Amino acid sequence: GRDVPLAAVVGAWTAYDPDNPDQIVVRDLRMARAVAALLGGAALGLAGALMQVMTRNPLADPGILGINSGAAFGVVMGIWVLGLSAAGALVLPALVGAGITAVLVLVLGGGAGRDGPDPVRMVLVGAALSALFLSLTWALLILSRQSLDIYRYWVLGGFGQVDPSNLWAVMPLLLAGFGAAFVAAFMLNPLALGDDTARALGVRVGLARFISLVGTVLLCGTTVSLAGPIAFIGLIVPHLVRPFARGDVRRLAFGSVVLGAALAMTADVLGRLILPGQEIEAGAIMALIGGPALIVLVQRQREALV
């Protein structure tokens, strides 16, 4: 990355000079990257929290349930079939791919029934769909060198390629996703007592799950189209927040937004600092953190069942 003097950073906001290249970098590139990291991390953290509450599965997240893979397949289809390349243009195919996957996981996982989705079935269905979409994605990439060239930069997952135009293109859908997710969080709060109790309290469980699904698809689809598939944030963050949430889904949602944003920003900054003169994408940093964390979470779940 390019080193920018502190004076240029301050001047970019106090006395902006459009002819100063350092200030242009700060205003047009670094700020968009920072905002994208904060919003993307918050979106993935919130989506993971909703998925875990909705499926009653502490190991659920948009990546494990295949939603990110579905969005990635939609992006590749947009590149291969429609010739798209800009992040703003890839939003719609990413949302379509994420939405189709989410509906399939919910329906095949038993979510259409009165008792709601079966946690084990949803994880199995999500894993199967994830493998299917990954296979189809690579099959399409083999057929198109141009698609591969665009995809290989995108698939690592990171915020380095975000520019203001891409960020503004996805902002309305991202904000809509946050809105739907928080509405769902308030509706899903009584589900901690069980579906029957929630219904007795007047909660429309099916509607709550539908709004949660819409929010998750919007949050994941827009983030994946903007920054690529960044794994593990949606899995790890809710577990770190849960001890402070004390069973309150609303607290879990707000905490996941804050911690998800902080974790994504930290991963992005670490990727620029670990190797001087080189940059590691935030998705790779999160994989280094998330892999061991997933092993620890699985071990804890196994011990809890013994």
Side-chain angles (χ1 to χ4, degrees):
R2 172 176 180 158
D3 294 329
V4 178
L6 179 60
V9 176
V10 176
W13 302 107
T14 58
Y16 180 60
D17 180 5
D19 296 323
N20 187 318
D22 288 332
Q23 293 188 14
I24 293 174
V25 168
V26 172
R27 287 282 291 264
D28 293 345
L29 298 178
R30 294 287 174 84
M31 183 52 62
R33 178 173 183 164
V35 172
L38 290 172
L39 291 177
L44 294 175
L46 179 56
L50 287 182
M51 293 299 291
Q52 291 180 14
V53 172
M54 184 176 66
T55 63
R56 301 192 300 274
N57 187 334
L59 296 179
D61 87 324
I64 290 178
L65 294 182
I67 293 178
N68 286 348
S69 297
F73 177 69
V75 166
V76 173
M77 286 292 291
I79 296 171
W80 187 63
V81 177
L82 303 177
L84 305 177
S85 59
L90 294 174
V91 173
L92 182 58
L95 287 175
V96 171
I100 291 174
T101 307
V103 171
L104 288 174
V105 169
L106 188 64
V107 172
L108 297 178
R114 177 179 175 81
D115 295 330
D118 179 84
V120 176
R121 284 181 60 184
M122 288 194 73
V123 171
L124 292 176
V125 170
L129 289 176
S130 181
L132 173 63
F133 283 127
L134 284 175
S135 299
L136 293 174
T137 296
W138 283 109
L140 292 179
L141 293 175
I142 291 173
L143 296 175
S144 172
R145 177 62 183 271
Q146 180 183 4
S147 299
L148 178 60
D149 290 339
I150 298 173
Y151 181 78
R152 64 177 178 170
Y153 291 107
W154 176 85
V155 73
L156 292 175
F159 305 97
Q161 304 299 319
V162 176
D163 61 44
S165 62
N166 294 340
L167 186 59
W168 282 111
V170 304
M171 190 67 74
L173 292 174
L174 196 58
L175 293 178
F178 278 114
F182 279 117
V183 169
F186 278 82
M187 295 181 69
L188 289 171
N189 201 49
L191 286 184
L193 303 174
D195 285 9
D196 292 336
T197 303
R199 289 191 181 94
L201 294 174
V203 177
R204 299 176 63 181
V205 176
L207 178 62
R209 286 201 172 98
F210 175 76
I211 295 175
S212 177
L213 189 66
V214 170
T216 299
V217 168
L218 287 173
L219 292 173
C220 295
T222 51
T223 302
V224 168
S225 68
L226 187 68
I230 300 177
F232 294 113
I233 291 181
L235 175 64
I236 297 171
V237 166
H239 284 275
L240 297 176
V241 176
R242 193 165 282 114
F244 304 97
R246 298 178 181 177
D248 192 317
V249 178
R250 297 165 296 184
R251 291 180 182 175
L252 180 65
F254 280 106
S256 296
V257 164
V258 174
L259 189 57
L263 187 58
M265 177 63 77
T266 300
D268 187 53
V269 172
L270 285 177
R272 285 180 277 168
L273 297 179
I274 291 178
L275 297 177
Q278 299 184 26
E279 183 173 321
I280 302 175
E281 296 290 352
I285 298 295
M286 281 309 307
L288 293 175
I289 298 172
L294 178 59
I295 295 174
V296 172
L297 290 176
V298 171
Q299 181 66 19
R300 286 183 178 178
Q301 292 300 313
R302 188 186 69 83
E303 292 174 354
L305 294 175
V306 174

